Amino acid sequence: MERHTRQRQALIDALTHSGHALSPPEILARAQAAVPSLNLSTVYRQLKALHDARKIVRVDLPGQPARFEALCHEAQAAKRGHHHHYFHCSDCDRVYPIHACPGRMAHLAPPGFEVQRHDLTLHGRCAGCATGH
Ligand SMILES: [Zn+2]
Ligand SMILES: [Zn+2]
Ligand SMILES: [Zn+2]
């Protein structure tokens, strides 16, 4: 396999198997097992290429470093308008995707305002932290 292809596949595999969004250093730590030649600047470059190609999702939460996640099944099926919400664990600092949406929130806006999109992040403790594991 071509070198860049192998690097990108290692990054996608790391994200797919994680279950939560990963920062570039976390992705590097996991992907290096498959591709030892990876380094952080390679990871940043390949993440950008994968993001530009819409193969991964970038998670930008206010006040947080950028994280990345794999495309979920709904997003892979190219359902239009599929978007994610997130759960941020205040103990372990992990960000988990939530594949559900409360729906349109236009009625929350003042009269005459047009809502174009929304972000929603739940904060608390993940199951592992809540049970002390
Ligand atoms: Zn946690
Ligand atoms: Zn989803
Ligand atoms: Zn939503």
Side-chain angles (χ1 to χ4, degrees):
M1 213 189 298
E2 196 237 330
R3 188 158 141 261
H4 286 178
T5 312
R6 212 170 63 233
Q7 290 177 343
R8 283 178 205 181
Q9 192 57 48
L11 301 192
I12 291 176
D13 288 348
L15 291 171
T16 303
H17 297 142
S18 153
H20 57 88
L22 298 175
S23 67
E26 288 172 326
I27 296 168
L28 174 64
R30 288 160 188 246
Q32 242 172 355
V35 183
S37 63
L38 276 175
N39 58 51
L40 199 52
S41 56
T42 321
V43 167
Y44 275 108
R45 203 161 54 238
Q46 298 296 3
L47 285 174
K48 185 181 183 308
L50 286 167
H51 183 252
D52 288 348
R54 295 171 178 272
K55 299 218 189 287
I56 59 174
V57 175
R58 189 172 139 150
V59 184
D60 283 309
L61 299 185
Q64 294 282 319
R67 293 178 174 89
F68 294 87
E69 63 180 2
L71 292 183
C72 69
H73 293 302
E74 291 93 332
Q76 275 177 10
K79 276 193 189 160
R80 286 170 63 85
H82 179 72
H83 63 269
H84 280 179
H85 297 304
Y86 297 98
F87 186 105
H88 182 223
C89 176
S90 50
D91 277 17
C92 67
D93 200 36
R94 284 180 177 164
V95 173
Y96 297 85
I98 297 174
H99 304 283
C101 177
R104 292 176 62 79
M105 299 186 205
H107 61 285
L108 299 178
F113 283 51
E114 276 179 29
V115 177
Q116 292 172 332
R117 56 185 289 277
H118 64 254
D119 294 321
L120 182 65
T121 305
L122 306 182
H123 298 269
R125 292 200 290 168
C126 71
C129 292
T131 55
H133 290 297

